[in-house]
Amino acid sequence: MTQLSAAQTTPSDGSKALYGGKGTRRITVRDIALAKERGEKWPMLTAYDAMTASVFDEAGIPVMLVGDSAGNCHLGYDTTVPVTLDEMTVLSAAVVRGTKRALIVGDLPFGSYQEGPVQALRSATRLVKEAGVGAVKLEGGERSHEQIRLLVESGIPVMAHIGLTPQSVNAMGYRVQGRGEEAAAQLLRDAKAVQDAGAFAVVLELVPAELAAEVTRVLHIPTVGIGAGPETDAQVLVWTDMMGLTGGRVPKFVKKYADLRTVMGDAARAFAEDVVGGTFPLEEHSVH
Ligand code: KIV
């Protein structure tokens, strides 16, 4: 690929980095490309509502994904499969409203792009026009390259997603992808196909760390790992998993940075006990 000069790789708003930079304008896909040139790693979190997104924005998270993991983590479905484009549009719009700096990537849900490029363009256009996202994400490598190409040609930046693709859970289950020679070769073909189609980044989900490292070396677009080892350019986690809000089991690759489920449960019980015991509200909480 064309090498960029140092001046070209310095963020145009004077900030130093995607994370920790000082700029207040929205991060763009060009900033993401420049970060790869600088060899800079960056974090991405999912978000599904305005208030949570504003916390992550203030924390400096440069890219937020309104993932269809909202199905499991926000909307109460068992998988991502039932999530609709209407639901993704509402959630994406809320996250855009809650943020000032982060690049917001809206996920195209199952059934909103598999028919072909024209359906994909119609669906992505809704997320861009109605929700205001700066980019969309869709699943699939070679099988989705025509959709990616048309969206990119139409001016919609696309983040691709290969490896484990949860929308295909009924066909592939939740298993590590890319193990073995043939599967690894397919994953590399998928990675190159989405890059050639114009994707600005690619999520690698649940693939062996060595393979993810190789894909990261080979591609000139950034790789975003989830369960893909330490060598990818960026890392993404589902926020409810990494902050300990998700009930039940979370995948082995998740690091738990907080225990919000306990914090929130304790707060709810303390409130309930105050109400039942008559110690809330007190005079200081009352108006006259
Ligand atoms: O929907 C989602 O949250 C995702 C991430 C796990 C990458 O696709």
Side-chain angles (χ1 to χ4, degrees), residues 252-270:
K252 170 178 182 283
F253 57 74
V254 174
K255 177 173 174 184
K256 205 164 138 187
Y257 289 84
D259 188 4
L260 289 194
R261 205 170 175 86
T262 302
V263 170
M264 291 174 73
D266 286 350
R269 274 185 291 276

Side-chain angles (χ1 to χ4, degrees), residues 46-48 65-85 87-88 91-92 105-114 127 137-139 161 164-168 174 205 238:
T46 65
Y48 316 112
L65 170 67
V66 189
D68 62 357
S69 51
N72 320 58
C73 305
H74 191 72
L75 296 169
Y77 299 131
D78 288 336
T79 70
T80 62
V81 173
V83 177
T84 67
L85 185 59
E87 287 167 335
M88 289 309 300
L91 302 183
S92 300
V105 182
D107 226 353
L108 289 176
F110 181 64
S112 73
Y113 61 93
Q114 282 83 355
L127 289 185
K137 179 172 82 58
L138 54 78
E139 295 184 3
H161 182 159
L164 175 72
T165 47
Q167 292 176 10
S168 307
Y174 294 112
E205 180 161 356
V238 168

Side-chain angles (χ1 to χ4, degrees), residues 18-99:
L18 289 184
Y19 173 67
K22 295 189 203 67
T24 50
R25 65 158 177 80
R26 284 263 178 212
I27 304 281
T28 66
V29 293
R30 179 168 159 75
D31 297 316
I32 303 292
L34 296 178
K36 175 104 183 182
E37 286 284 317
R38 295 192 297 269
E40 178 187 321
K41 287 181 175 264
W42 45 273
M44 176 165 107
L45 281 175
T46 65
Y48 316 112
D49 69 277
M51 208 177 288
T52 308
S54 74
V55 174
F56 299 162
D57 206 41
E58 285 164 17
I61 298 296
V63 187
M64 273 176 238
L65 170 67
V66 189
D68 62 357
S69 51
N72 320 58
C73 305
H74 191 72
L75 296 169
Y77 299 131
D78 288 336
T79 70
T80 62
V81 173
V83 177
T84 67
L85 185 59
D86 283 343
E87 287 167 335
M88 289 309 300
T89 305
V90 170
L91 302 183
S92 300
V95 169
V96 171
R97 283 193 294 270
T99 53

